[in-house]
Amino acid sequence: MAIERRFAVRRIALAAALLGIAGAAFAAPPQVGPEVERDVIAPEGRTFTPAAPDEEGAIDRFAAYTAALAKRDYDAAYAMLRLSLQASSPRLEWEMNLRKRAALWADGTIRIVRLSWYLDPAGQPPGVYAAFDFRGDRKDGTMDCGYVVVHRAEPAAPFTVVRTDVSEVPPDMMEDGVPKADVLHQLPCYLGKGIATAF
C-alpha cells in the first residue's frame, strides 16, 4: 500500500478487529515482535533498512501520542503533530472534535498489526516514515482499527505525527466478538493478510 493512498483516502466511521489477529499488545512502549507484519518501501534503486534507533524512536512517538490521548492531555498530543498537520488542523477545532467524543480509540487495548517503513515517499517531505496499522478493543465492546504515521526529517530529529486515521465498530455492529459480515467488508483499515476489508 503506497503511502500516497494513506494520505488521500478518507475513512468512514467504522472499524473492526478480528479475534486472533496477530499483533503486539499495547504497552509503554508497545512491543513490535516478530509476529507483527513488516514492510519496507524505498525509491527504486535505493535500499533502506530501519536501524534499532529508528524503530525505538518511531515506537516511542506512537506510544507517547496514544498515551497522551488516553490521558486527555491534548496539549501534549497536539505538540507531537508535525507543523504542517497543525496548520491544516487548527488547535481549537482539533481538540473540540476529540472532546465531543465520549471515548477515544486510545482508551482501548491497542495491538499493532503491521509496521510499514517508507523512505522519501513521492509527494511527501523527504525523510523516514513509519506507519503503524493497529486494532483496538475497548471495555464497552467497541472495536477500533486504523493507523498512525510518524515522520523523521533528519537522523537527529525527533519523530512527529503526520497522519492518523481511525474507524470504529460499535457493539451493536459486532457479533460473537467480531464485526458483522456486511460491516467487515466496508472497513477502510488493514486487519491482516486475507482479511476481507475495503482497505
Side-chain angles (χ1 to χ4, degrees), residues 167-196:
S167 302
E168 69 180 44
V169 176
D172 63 348
M173 292 186 180
M174 303 291 291
E175 201 168 70
D176 297 326
V178 296
K180 295 179 180 179
D182 57 335
V183 174
L184 179 63
H185 297 307
Q186 298 178 59
L187 293 174
C189 51
Y190 182 77
L191 295 174
K193 292 178 180 177
I195 307 299

Side-chain angles (χ1 to χ4, degrees), residues 16-192:
L18 296 178
L19 297 178
I21 292 177
F26 177 77
Q31 300 298 307
V32 184
E35 71 278 10
V36 174
E37 294 179 38
R38 293 168 182 267
D39 290 320
V40 178
I41 299 158
E44 187 175 351
R46 298 175 63 187
T47 59
F48 171 64
T49 302
D54 297 325
E55 187 154 309
E56 285 178 16
I59 292 171
D60 286 350
R61 177 58 72 207
F62 174 78
Y65 181 71
T66 303
L69 288 180
K71 292 187 293 186
R72 304 305 193 266
D73 187 347
Y74 300 113
D75 289 336
Y78 192 78
M80 296 181 208
L81 305 183
R82 185 167 67 185
L83 293 180
S84 59
L85 181 53
Q86 291 181 1
S88 64
S89 305
R91 170 59 197 273
L92 183 59
E93 179 182 347
W94 176 86
E95 183 173 332
M96 292 309 296
N97 284 336
L98 293 174
R99 284 186 179 275
K100 68 184 179 184
R101 299 174 180 267
L104 301 177
W105 59 269
D107 299 337
T109 299
I110 296 170
R111 296 184 180 187
I112 298 169
V113 178
R114 179 174 63 180
L115 172 55
S116 302
W117 292 93
Y118 299 86
L119 176 65
D120 298 335
Q124 300 299 324
V128 173
Y129 293 77
F132 295 90
D133 289 287
F134 66 87
R135 54 163 288 187
D137 300 277
R138 300 190 217 168
K139 290 181 180 179
D140 68 355
T142 300
M143 302 185 85
D144 301 282
C145 68
Y147 63 79
V148 173
V149 181
V150 298
H151 168 239
R152 188 193 65 205
E154 300 175 355
F159 278 91
T160 58
V161 176
V162 297
R163 176 77 171 152
T164 66
D165 213 338
V166 184
S167 302
E168 69 180 44
V169 176
D172 63 348
M173 292 186 180
M174 303 291 291
E175 201 168 70
D176 297 326
V178 296
K180 295 179 180 179
D182 57 335
V183 174
L184 179 63
H185 297 307
Q186 298 178 59
L187 293 174
C189 51
Y190 182 77
L191 295 174

